[in-house]
Amino acid sequence: MRYGREIDLRQLMSREPIEVDMAPIGKLICGRRVLVTGAAGSIGRELTAQLAALAPLKLCAVDQAETPLHDLSLSLNKAIIPRIANCCDENAMRRIFQEVNPEVIFHAAAYKHVPMMETNPHAAVTNNLLATRVLANLAVESGTERFVMISTDKAVNPTNVMGASKRACELYVQALDSPRTHFITTRFGNVLGSQGSVIPLFLEQLRHGGPLTVTHREVCRYFMLIPEACKLVLSAAALGNGGEIFVFDMGKPVRIVDLARRIIALNGNPSIRISYTGLRPGEKLYEEVLTSDETTLPGPHPKIKVARVRPAEFNIVGPAVDALIDLAQSPKSTAMEVVGSLKALVPEFLSSNSPFTELDE
């Protein structure tokens, strides 16, 4: 049963939509060979659709989810080359690189759910970091011009395994940046309506008459619409010089409870109540965009800034990443050992409110 009326996600934003100049983006993409990983996910799907509209010579969409990738191919009228593959599989990805020879790569494939990764650190490191290493190394080997990695604000002073694994990915691609292959990282927060996020959860709870569940009264998040997040990713890709971590200005953080109240008001059923469930393992009250030792510089767009981060040297980062991946793939390693190794690579990782808190003591 449905309750109330449908909700336009734009009604939940307390700011004007973000616009970008598409001309330099079109210049980067038109007539070029482009590869998108995680193409069937929330960000990847929109990113692929926006890229398809820019007339690339080839647009290869990679995902391991068969049905969503099939749906994407149908929706874009076969404008893409759909390839089912796990990005951790080097042989499969090497075949795709040989077929497409990508000039520009957008790496959006990742595990993203904080509580799930908190209790599955082996999977977080293997899926997020190993896949990034495979793709980044192949990009260097094949002479790809631009590699854009989609990161997260949870990589800043991470308090959870997912965020720390993404910070490790950032370090690896930064360390590989060169004049031949430019590695660019984009960081942003939550996108409204993405798969498994709070808005679909709230809407499903509304359909059942509530309550809407919020973990804590003060928990805050930055939000952005999926299309505008993808436009900023494309803008950063077109205008970046390589080695940067671009931080998106997402406006002011929003309290999740206020978002829930706004949805209830828009839904037109004031009897729906809100229930508090407690912070989940690894969950922060507040998200950050920059680490404590970072500053920002003006970026290529008013809503994009450049994070000045500590340098990543490949002779240090490379072996540490290799060792961490080997440990995560070892059948004898424990979750505690994997998280300890991740902390060594990402020293700002403080796993408060997680199963691994004792590692910080």
Side-chain angles (χ1 to χ4, degrees):
M1 178 179 292
R2 289 183 178 272
Y3 286 79
R5 49 184 177 266
E6 293 299 315
I7 293 173
D8 183 344
L9 294 179
R10 291 172 294 183
Q11 294 176 285
L12 300 176
M13 303 298 292
S14 57
R15 56 170 172 77
E16 292 298 314
I18 296 172
E19 300 294 340
V20 303
D21 180 6
M22 297 300 289
I25 300 169
K27 185 176 179 180
L28 172 69
I29 300 301
C30 183
R32 311 296 291 283
R33 301 180 300 275
V34 183
L35 173 70
V36 181
T37 71
S42 301
I43 293 294
R45 184 183 181 90
E46 175 66 23
L47 192 58
T48 303
Q50 291 190 19
L51 287 165
L54 297 172
L57 178 65
K58 290 183 179 180
L59 178 55
C60 182
V62 176
D63 207 292
Q64 56 182 334
E66 178 200 11
T67 298
L69 187 60
H70 173 70
D71 293 343
L72 176 64
S73 182
L74 291 177
S75 71
L76 294 178
N77 196 26
K78 300 183 179 180
I80 62 172
I81 303 169
R83 291 292 176 263
I84 298 174
N86 184 333
C87 293
C88 299
D89 184 340
E90 183 175 346
N91 290 330
M93 295 312 303
R94 187 177 293 278
R95 285 193 296 272
I96 291 171
F97 268 69
Q98 290 171 348
E99 175 189 7
V100 179
N101 190 21
E103 297 167 274
V104 184
I105 296 173
F106 294 90
H107 178 34
Y111 284 155
K112 66 174 185 177
H113 293 294
V114 169
M116 189 66 69
M117 293 303 98
E118 204 63 16
T119 53
N120 292 276
H122 290 82
V125 169
T126 299
N127 189 76
N128 291 356
L129 187 54
L130 173 57
T132 299
R133 186 183 70 176
V134 166
L135 290 161
N137 288 353
L138 285 172
V140 171
E141 180 183 317
S142 63
T144 298
E145 292 179 20
R146 286 179 182 258
F147 183 109
V148 182
M149 196 192 86
I150 312 261
S151 190
T152 169
D153 57 3
K154 293 173 179 63
V156 184
N157 291 327
T159 60
N160 51 67
V161 169
M162 191 283 282
S165 72
K166 293 294 284 186
R167 177 60 185 143
C169 295
E170 292 182 356
L171 289 168
Y172 192 79
V173 299
Q174 276 186 282
L176 275 180
D177 185 64
S178 72
R180 186 166 181 253
T181 302
H182 297 303
F183 286 88
I184 297 164
T185 296
T186 60
R187 275 185 193 163
F188 52 90
N190 300 272
V191 287
L192 286 174
S194 64
Q195 297 172 14
S197 66
V198 69
I199 300 301
L201 173 63
F202 282 168
L203 295 179
E204 182 64 24
Q205 291 171 338
L206 277 176
R207 292 184 188 108
H208 291 85
L212 303 193
T213 56
V214 177
T215 59
H216 192 284
R217 292 177 185 273
E218 299 301 323
V219 69
C220 292
R221 293 293 180 265
Y222 293 94
F223 284 103
M224 183 172 281
L225 295 172
I226 293 175
E228 61 185 9
C230 291
K231 286 180 181 178
L232 287 175
V233 168
L234 293 174
S235 183
L239 301 175
N241 295 314
E244 305 103 329
I245 293 180
F246 287 115
V247 180
F248 296 168
D249 180 357
M250 305 186 70
K252 295 180 180 179
V254 178
R255 288 201 313 167
I256 301 300
V257 66
D258 292 336
L259 192 64
R261 288 169 180 157
R262 200 175 307 164
I263 287 177
I264 291 171
L266 289 170
N267 181 257
N269 186 351
S271 66
I272 300 291
R273 65 184 184 89
I274 296 172
S275 174
Y276 298 96
T277 59
L279 288 176
R280 300 170 298 176
E283 184 179 13
K284 287 182 177 182
L285 275 179
Y286 309 99
E287 295 292 3
E288 302 168 81
V289 179
L290 294 175
T291 58
S292 57
D293 61 344
E294 294 174 345
T295 57
T296 59
L297 298 171
H301 182 279
K303 293 293 183 180
I304 303 176
K305 298 186 183 300
V306 180
R308 183 178 290 165
V309 297
R310 59 187 172 92
E313 299 179 12
F314 192 78
N315 62 338
I316 297 174
V317 172
V321 165
D322 292 344
L324 174 55
I325 290 172
D326 288 345
L327 182 66
Q329 292 192 296
S330 169
K332 297 182 179 180
S333 64
T334 67
M336 198 73 75
E337 289 171 333
V338 172
V339 174
S341 182
L342 187 55
K343 285 177 177 290
L345 177 60
V346 184
E348 63 268 34
F349 175 20
L350 300 173
S351 55
S352 57
N353 188 34
S354 85
F356 311 105
T357 300
E358 58 266 33
L359 288 176
D360 298 321
E361 297 176 351

